[in-house]
Amino acid sequence: MLDNAITLLLLLSTLVASSLATTARVLIYSATADFRHDSIPTAIQALQSKQSSFGIQFENTEDKAQFTDQILAQYDALLFLDNTGEVLDDSGKAAFQKYLNLGGNYIGIHAASDCLRNTTFYGNEVGAFFDYHPALQNATVDVIDASHPSTSMLPAQWHVQDEMYNFKTDPRAIGATVILSANESSYVDTGTHLGQGTPHPTGNSSNLVPAAQLNENILLAWFQEHGAGVEDNGSSGRSFYTSLGHLNETWQDELFLAHVFGGITWTLQSNTTLAFNASAQVGNPVASTSNSTSSSSTSMLPTPSSSPSAMISCPSIDKFSVKFMIVSVIVAACFPWLLRL
């Protein structure tokens, strides 16, 4: 009986191990051409430090030459971190556009809305371009949608010290769903809003209103189930953007990191990349091979040579839970004696 129990336990461990095979690959791109945040290294380290908690392989680069069709095709998401200015050339933009068209996912953090300002598809993918922000100060962030994985852990009114971004357009106009906003009554903003839609002015000069006269909510974070940066014939992945993340201290705050990782994991669950869909056209080819039931081979693609990386491995919660429940039911039904050991 003991031998049978050991055999069964080995079988169970094999099943559990198979649920850990999925690893999503994310490229962090932190190149800057204008203002540079000194919190970028801290942010990268903070993302890497969660290696025991998330099934993600992070790699980072600031080399725009890495934006080629072949290299981008290896990633399940591109994470733009605090980018400013013209951080891609025309060939890089074309590769980025193709990546999105093939189902690639996008994540933008903080100043990611202040780069590639004249590139229409990028503005649509991030949701809106940065306009200005008032002085760094304490503010109250309101959770608009507490059901999203990036907000479910947050208090209804989240008190933060950060830059409250204003944007040139309303991200809801291209299909984004707003999940966080900043209550303007909680901080001082003497600037002039431009084009953020209801409840804000529409953006033409006759409707500009000083922020001090408003008692409304500024949009801070949103998501797109289907990223709007995709061309008409493309197959869109997901897009997530949060404007928070200015300070080094912010990236050392576990609640903020939970917000960011909630957005990242939600984005990766688009089912449009190889980490979770063996028939996808972009994503981690290793994950595709391990998860596929076919015997098709996957060629090895070049890896950015200048990119420090961190392997982050843990079970995919949904898949692990389902498999564990199924195995538990089988054990209880077919091997009740094992429970008495």
Side-chain angles (χ1 to χ4, degrees):
M1 180 178 293
L2 182 58
D3 289 342
N4 289 337
I6 293 173
T7 300
L8 182 58
L9 289 174
L10 289 173
L11 174 61
L12 293 179
S13 66
T14 300
L15 290 172
V16 169
S18 69
S19 72
L20 308 182
T22 298
T23 301
R25 222 174 157 196
V26 177
L27 179 64
I28 302 172
Y29 188 53
S30 54
T32 56
D34 293 335
F35 179 82
R36 184 171 180 85
H37 285 75
D38 63 9
S39 60
I40 289 175
T42 305
I44 294 172
Q45 190 280 328
L47 292 170
Q48 294 174 347
S49 72
K50 295 299 177 181
Q51 58 187 359
S52 63
S53 303
F54 299 92
I56 303 171
Q57 176 183 331
F58 285 108
E59 298 170 17
N60 67 281
T61 186
E62 296 197 350
D63 181 5
K64 63 183 178 182
Q66 300 297 332
F67 275 66
T68 67
D69 294 346
Q70 191 177 29
I71 291 177
L72 295 188
Q74 302 174 83
Y75 296 99
D76 298 282
L78 303 182
L79 191 158
F80 275 55
L81 173 65
D82 282 338
N83 314 86
T84 57
E86 200 67 8
V87 293
L88 290 177
D89 55 22
D90 289 344
S91 63
K93 293 176 187 178
F96 187 12
Q97 176 73 85
K98 182 176 180 180
Y99 171 80
L100 295 176
N101 289 345
L102 294 176
N105 299 300
Y106 169 86
I107 301 151
I109 299 179
H110 197 49
S113 59
D114 195 27
C115 72
L116 304 178
R117 304 175 192 112
N118 297 314
T119 304
T120 301
F121 86 84
Y122 181 78
N124 289 335
E125 189 67 20
V126 70
F129 283 120
F130 167 80
D131 185 21
Y132 80 96
H133 66 77
L136 177 72
Q137 58 193 296
N138 293 321
T140 298
V141 173
D142 294 328
V143 175
I144 304 302
D145 181 356
S147 66
H148 194 266
S150 68
T151 57
S152 60
M153 76 296 294
L154 301 177
Q157 291 189 316
W158 184 21
H159 302 293
V160 302
Q161 184 181 33
D162 214 313
E163 294 174 336
M164 300 296 105
Y165 273 17
N166 291 271
F167 298 90
K168 294 183 178 180
T169 57
D170 183 356
R172 293 168 292 192
I174 48 90
T177 300
V178 176
I179 51 180
L180 289 181
S181 66
N183 193 305
E184 291 189 71
S185 65
S186 68
Y187 65 99
V188 177
D189 183 353
T190 59
T192 301
H193 293 300
L194 177 64
Q196 293 184 56
T198 304
H200 289 289
T202 58
N204 61 63
S205 59
S206 63
N207 286 331
L208 295 179
V209 179
Q213 297 179 16
L214 299 174
N215 186 18
E216 302 160 351
N217 285 346
I218 289 286
L219 315 180
L220 291 184
W222 52 78
F223 68 87
Q224 300 177 54
E225 182 66 42
H226 303 287
V230 174
E231 293 178 316
D232 290 340
N233 60 344
S235 176
S236 63
R238 287 177 169 179
S239 170
F240 172 82
Y241 173 76
T242 180
S243 63
L244 302 175
H246 177 73
L247 295 170
N248 284 282
E249 291 80 4
T250 303
W251 285 97
Q252 296 164 350
D253 178 8
E254 290 298 322
L255 192 56
F256 171 75
L257 288 175
H259 164 61
V260 169
F261 272 99
I264 293 172
T265 54
W266 174 85
T267 304
L268 291 169
Q269 291 164 4
S270 65
N271 203 38
T272 59
T273 65
L274 288 168
F276 302 100
N277 181 355
S279 63
Q281 301 179 77
V282 295
N284 184 358
V286 176
S288 174
T289 301
S290 63
N291 292 329
S292 176
T293 57
S294 69
S295 59
S296 61
S297 62
T298 304
S299 62
M300 296 304 293
L301 298 175
T303 300
S305 59
S306 62
S307 303
S309 63
M311 293 295 297
I312 303 182
S313 300
C314 85
S316 173
I317 296 175
D318 292 340
K319 292 183 179 180
F320 179 84
S321 299
V322 171
K323 289 185 178 182
F324 185 79
M325 289 173 62
I326 291 174
V327 170
S328 299
V329 170
I330 293 174
V331 170
C334 301
F335 306 95
W337 51 266
L338 183 60
L339 302 177
R340 298 193 294 271
L341 290 179

